[in-house]
Amino acid sequence: MLLKQANWIVSKEDWKDVCPTFCKQFQVDGAIKSAVLLITALGVYEAELNGSRVGEFVLAPGWTDYNYSLQVQEYDVTAMLKEENCLRITVGRGWFNGRIRREEVAYIQNFQNESNALLAALKIIYQDGREHFILTDEDWSSCPSAILCSDIYDGETYDSRQENAQPSHGVKVVGINKSILAPQRGEMIREMERIKPVSLLHTPQGDTLIDFGQNLAGYVEFKVKANAGDQILLQHAEILDKDGNFYTGNLRTAKQEINFICNGEEQVYHPHFSFQGFRYVKLVQWPGEISLDDFTAIVVYSNMKRTGDFSCSDERINKLFQNIVWGQKGNFVDVPTDCPQRDERLGWLGDAQVFVRTASYNFDVEKFFSKWLYDLKTCQYSNGSIPYIVPNVFYYHEASAAWADAAVICPWQIYLTYGNKKILEQQFESMRRFIEYVKQIGSSPYLWDDGEHYGDWLALDAEEGSYRGATDDFLIATAFFAYSTSLFIKAGHVLKQNMTEYEILYENIRKAYQEKYIDGGKLTTQTSLVLTLYFKLYRNENERAKMSDQLAALIHEAGDHLTTGFVGTPYLLHALSENGYSDLAYKLLLRDEYPSWLYSVKMGATTVWEHWDGMKPDGTMWSDRMNSFNHYAYGAVADWMYGVMAGIQTDETAPGFQHVIFRPVTNSEISTVSASIETRQGRVSSSWHKEGNKTVYEFVVPCSATAHIDDQTYELGKGQHVITV
Ligand code: BGC
């Protein structure tokens, strides 16, 4: 790789928080055939060639586990070159060395103080065949940029009077290990949508706010003409409090603040190395008249193609679905994060694991997850344990059940949705190491009954003041151990591996689970029953029926409400509808009193909340400490909308929708449902509507399908099919 010949450079001066710009002036002498610019940085960078931005990648080079991989971007700049050229590349702290990098971060071990370091190479090929290389080295120069400071959490301070400073300072070459350089594996992060404000608000406290009408991740672009030295200060928030005032308590220490100093000309600005999670923007300082035309929210996320859609006769469900899609946009900024606003924004595995199926139907995330899972594999601990978050910025810890299981569940789902076994080949050894690790934990190789776990995170049956629900942590852990082992076996079969050893292991885990938890009378919570049913850990149909009745009884006892948290909720409706209780599943979905999915919709949500009661009916907040209004985890219910309401399901024996299974389940409260997924084979769609006492089903099939309607089975070929029942 050409970059191996270039040198890592940093600025000679220490400008503290100010982001350095690195410059190189050069001439070309002849007609150019091609010019390719390769760049990466320890931090985040933006490049400009002859005054124009190079490429569209926001926050390049993206977020990977920098201990093991640092992506390099490649830009075709042939059309941008002139005779005399000026290349300027500004580097911010980004994920590498911003506040998101915890004190304990593992990669500190591999790096000293190489923050804001740049590595670049330009390769020009002339028409006559000559080659010309421009590589970062000590001949480059540097200057402080107009970005006085920038941080993913805190926002940016920008003094536009400092733009285009002369590069009158030197650079130094630093020795950073180039073995971490990697090709661009993920989707690039881009400005994906632009949203205009819906209103200008004046709050009871006297603040002036812009409401964009949608909670999102990205930044505000504004146009301003004011005197040189005039200041602008913007703050961002997701929600207003009960009195209609600007509320930032839930951001914890993340400032989400933009400071801008004007230069006297008409200017258009948006932050460079930071993004905010927001719906409302407070104009703390704004020079002159406010015109909404001058503001645009730019929605920033990974360049994923939208593939899935869902709608039905209940507008509240449609809004919930849209909120789920927005939750995915806001949290798929190179890494699947828990939330995009507070001082967290981390790649939590549990959240990604519960949402992966929904994510893979809504958008094409094959590349996105392949990159993230590659990182998961590389930062897996040497004993096989899996970090809580990827990229990992925490110290070593034992794996937490349902979080660590992302190592198996995510690749398996990506395989099912897209039908490409490469992801299984890439992750198989990582899965195996994880299963082997769990075997070592606990009182026997078949029970995962030791360690620290997040449990049924945020479940409502938790003790007062606890984040962990009432379901036994080790029951959850052993249930997931069984489930992950079963998926690992399937992956092994796809890859034609001999899985006998793990088939025996699986049977032993099931047996141990049944003895300890089923016979031990531990199935006392909704989540414990949901897991046992969904993972098929019961012994026989009798036990299964008993557990299904028990689950329904617990739901009735709770006033026909769910009490589940992160672990139980994603499977709750499936566990009901697969076991004779689809009406109860529909009932839970259609409720709009707390706690329910539609409660937040009724409260005006535009994304999915972290807590069932993030905001209480009287407008007060659950708490400041852990209260994101853009957390996609509970949005996993969309896979029930696609898979049960519309009934579109993958077939494990013909993944990637080479053969589709349709199993729609109707309900008296809903009169129409329609869903579609753009698959690798073409468009799959399923819809139904009621006509008198009949239901008319319509399916579009790209290859072949089997439809199960009531007790009838229909084999369908490629094309459109209408079945009236
Ligand atoms: C995150 C969650 C995450 C959890 C671990 C939280 O702070 O926001 O979504 O999974 O920690 O339990």
Side-chain angles (χ1 to χ4, degrees):
M1 190 200 271
L2 185 57
L3 273 187
K4 295 252 156 130
Q5 293 154 40
N7 300 282
W8 278 104
I9 54 171
V10 295
S11 170
K12 253 189 186 154
E13 321 294 325
D14 179 5
W15 290 307
K16 305 272 186 267
D17 288 337
V18 181
C19 303
T21 299
F22 300 94
C23 308
K24 180 75 183 174
Q25 297 192 334
F26 59 95
Q27 296 172 327
V28 297
D29 64 346
I32 295 169
K33 188 170 159 215
S34 68
V36 174
L37 178 60
L38 302 172
I39 316 179
T40 192
L42 286 178
V44 284
Y45 73 84
E46 254 183 42
E48 237 182 59
L49 184 54
N50 299 324
S52 300
R53 170 92 192 256
V54 176
E56 293 184 320
F57 201 136
V58 176
L59 299 167
W63 194 13
T64 45
D65 201 299
Y66 302 125
N67 256 331
Y68 308 102
S69 86
L70 177 66
Q71 298 185 127
V72 173
Q73 286 75 43
E74 202 176 306
Y75 305 96
D76 181 349
V77 294
T78 316
M80 297 176 83
L81 288 175
K82 299 178 176 167
E83 246 178 78
E84 297 287 334
N85 297 282
C86 175
L87 176 60
R88 293 171 72 98
I89 305 174
T90 304
V91 183
R93 289 170 174 250
W95 291 284
F96 177 77
N97 200 22
R99 281 216 296 129
I100 203 162
R101 167 170 131 164
R102 294 350 200 210
E103 283 307 303
E104 68 262 35
V105 63
Y107 58 75
I108 279 183
Q109 298 152 13
N110 284 359
F111 299 100
Q112 304 301 319
N113 283 317
E114 296 93 346
S115 183
N116 301 47
L118 173 71
L119 184 69
L122 173 62
K123 179 179 182 180
I124 300 171
I125 303 179
Y126 293 108
Q127 301 267 6
D128 59 14
R130 277 175 304 134
E131 290 185 343
H132 180 179
F133 298 107
I134 291 163
L135 309 172
T136 39
D137 58 21
E138 59 279 333
D139 290 339
W140 281 53
S141 52
S142 69
C143 59
S145 72
I147 304 172
L148 302 189
C149 63
S150 198
D151 183 85
I152 301 273
Y153 291 155
D154 292 333
E156 195 159 293
T157 299
Y158 189 89
D159 186 347
S160 62
R161 297 168 305 179
Q162 314 288 326
E163 280 172 359
N164 300 317
Q166 284 312 306
S168 49
H169 302 268
V171 300
K172 35 177 205 217
V173 166
V174 286
I176 297 168
N177 183 357
K178 290 190 196 143
S179 67
I180 55 171
L181 298 183
Q184 169 67 27
R185 288 199 177 91
E187 300 284 6
M188 75 175 159
I189 308 166
R190 276 187 51 210
E191 295 184 352
M192 299 291 282
E193 295 175 47
R194 297 173 73 86
I195 294 189
K196 291 309 283 180
V198 293
S199 61
L200 188 68
L201 304 175
H202 300 285
T203 69
Q205 270 174 357
D207 294 325
T208 303
L209 312 184
I210 294 177
D211 177 6
F212 284 97
Q214 175 62 54
N215 196 10
L216 58 93
Y219 36 68
V220 173
E221 179 184 87
F222 57 78
K223 192 167 85 186
V224 67
K225 181 166 182 356
N227 296 327
D230 278 0
Q231 298 214 2
I232 291 171
L233 174 55
L234 307 182
Q235 289 171 344
H236 301 70
E238 294 185 287
I239 203 145
L240 303 181
D241 71 10
K242 68 176 177 13
D243 302 316
N245 287 316
F246 194 67
Y247 172 76
T248 54
N250 68 329
L251 304 178
R252 306 200 298 218
T253 67
K255 287 202 194 79
Q256 297 216 121
E257 220 170 72
I258 301 301
N259 287 276
F260 181 85
I261 305 166
C262 305
N263 67 6
E265 288 167 22
E266 182 171 284
Q267 299 174 270
V268 176
Y269 166 84
H270 62 69
H272 299 262
F273 299 139
S274 179
F275 66 91
Q276 288 70 51
F278 67 101
R279 168 176 169 173
Y280 300 95
V281 173
K282 175 165 147 186
L283 305 181
V284 185
Q285 258 179 289
W286 181 263
E289 291 285 297
I290 298 164
S291 161
L292 290 185
D293 286 346
D294 294 336
F295 296 88
T296 307
I298 300 185
V299 191
V300 169
Y301 53 92
S302 288
N303 190 22
M304 318 170 284
K305 185 174 157 234
R306 180 75 190 274
T307 46
D309 212 350
F310 177 92
S311 65
C312 70
S313 53
D314 190 324
E315 282 309 322
R316 302 168 308 162
I317 297 291
N318 297 343
K319 180 65 183 157
L320 172 66
F321 182 77
Q322 293 310 325
N323 292 357
I324 293 167
V325 170
W326 272 103
Q328 183 165 355
K329 292 175 182 175
N331 285 295
F332 275 52
V333 181
D334 211 22
V335 163
T337 56
D338 55 339
C339 57
Q341 75 300 84
R342 69 175 176 227
D343 53 1
E344 203 150 1
R345 313 184 190 191
L346 300 168
W348 282 99
L349 270 66
D351 309 43
Q353 174 269 111
V354 303
F355 192 67
V356 61
R357 191 187 303 161
T358 292
S360 71
Y361 292 170
N362 285 340
F363 289 88
D364 184 342
V365 292
E366 186 178 14
K367 202 169 159 190
F368 178 93
F369 266 100
S370 302
K371 172 242 177 198
W372 183 70
L373 288 167
Y374 182 90
D375 261 23
L376 181 151
K377 168 177 89 162
T378 51
C379 66
Q380 184 166 8
Y381 296 115
S382 54
N383 64 354
S385 176
I386 305 271
Y388 298 147
I389 51 175
V390 171
N392 187 14
V393 293
F394 291 162
Y395 268 135
Y396 172 77
H397 49 75
E398 300 287 355
S400 166
W403 271 250
D405 294 271
V408 180
I409 295 170
C410 292
W412 179 247
Q413 184 59 49
I414 294 300
Y415 167 71
L416 284 186
T417 303
Y418 303 108
N420 185 349
K421 64 181 184 197
K422 272 201 181 125
I423 190 68
L424 300 181
E425 286 162 0
Q426 179 184 299
Q427 300 300 128
F428 188 71
E429 181 56 15
S430 154
M431 298 181 186
R432 191 193 63 75
R433 289 178 54 217
F434 168 59
I435 301 288
E436 287 299 323
Y437 157 82
V438 179
K439 266 166 69 182
Q440 311 304 312
I441 305 288
S443 59
S444 92
Y446 315 129
L447 287 168
W448 191 358
D449 57 355
D450 199 3
E452 275 278 312
H453 300 271
Y454 285 110
D456 191 16
W457 188 246
L458 306 186
L460 296 169
D461 50 12
E463 267 174 41
E464 194 59 36
S466 167
Y467 290 128
R468 292 163 164 81
T471 308
D472 186 313
D473 282 358
F474 300 147
L475 175 153
I476 294 174
T478 304
F480 270 89
F481 183 26
Y483 185 53
S484 282
T485 305
S486 74
L487 300 185
F488 173 60
I489 292 167
K490 290 179 187 182
H493 287 152
V494 172
L495 300 178
K496 308 217 174 340
Q497 300 282 323
N498 181 346
M499 299 305 284
T500 317
E501 179 190 347
Y502 294 99
E503 280 155 1
I504 297 168
L505 173 68
Y506 175 67
E507 286 312 324
N508 284 326
I509 303 169
R510 270 174 66 97
K511 221 166 128 236
Y513 180 87
Q514 288 159 352
E515 282 165 10
K516 183 152 182 182
Y517 298 108
I518 301 182
D519 300 345
K522 299 278 191 198
L523 303 191
T524 53
T525 63
Q526 291 183 16
T527 290
S528 60
L529 289 156
V530 166
L531 297 184
T532 313
L533 285 164
Y534 188 76
F535 295 163
K536 303 196 178 353
L537 298 175
Y538 41 76
R539 291 189 176 92
N540 50 45
E541 288 304 304
N542 239 347
E543 245 179 36
R544 176 183 183 178
K546 236 173 74 189
M547 287 174 193
S548 313
D549 295 346
Q550 230 176 312
L551 173 60
L554 282 183
I555 293 169
H556 293 319
E557 245 172 62
D560 283 351
H561 274 301
L562 53 82
T563 58
T564 49
F566 272 39
V567 164
T569 304
Y571 307 128
L572 172 64
L573 300 191
H574 291 287
L576 289 169
S577 59
E578 281 174 10
N579 292 290
Y581 282 97
S582 51
D583 280 345
L584 184 55
Y586 263 104
K587 186 169 191 178
L588 291 181
L589 182 67
L590 295 175
R591 293 210 71 155
D592 63 8
E593 307 88 346
Y594 162 81
S596 66
W597 284 274
L598 292 183
Y599 169 71
S600 65
V601 171
K602 192 169 74 178
M603 294 295 285
T606 60
T607 36
V608 176
W609 296 353
E610 178 176 24
H611 275 265
W612 293 116
D613 58 347
M615 181 185 271
K616 308 218 182 242
D618 66 0
T620 56
M621 304 294 171
W622 178 82
S623 132
D624 277 356
R625 276 210 58 215
M626 191 77 80
N627 203 12
S628 149
F629 291 93
N630 196 356
H631 236 73
Y632 57 59
Y634 291 149
V637 71
D639 81 45
W640 194 80
M641 299 183 196
Y642 283 112
V644 180
M645 289 179 78
I648 302 175
Q649 298 176 8
T650 52
D651 178 347
E652 285 182 8
T653 63
F657 295 98
Q658 294 165 69
H659 179 257
V660 186
I661 297 173
F662 292 112
R663 212 184 282 273
V665 177
T666 61
N667 180 263
S668 58
E669 300 296 313
I670 299 284
S671 57
T672 66
V673 163
S674 174
S676 65
I677 304 172
E678 202 56 58
T679 73
R680 290 283 179 270
Q681 309 302 320
R683 187 163 173 272
V684 172
S685 84
S686 163
S687 59
W688 52 262
H689 65 273
K690 298 200 179 136
E691 277 181 22
N693 58 358
K694 293 197 168 115
T695 305
V696 182
Y697 298 86
E698 278 186 57
F699 303 111
V700 173
V701 182
C703 295
S704 66
T706 306
H708 302 271
I709 298 172
D710 298 336
D711 291 331
Q712 293 284 324
T713 299
Y714 306 81
E715 294 304 333
L716 311 174
K718 179 182 162 95
Q720 190 165 2
H721 305 267
V722 177
I723 300 170
T724 304
V725 177

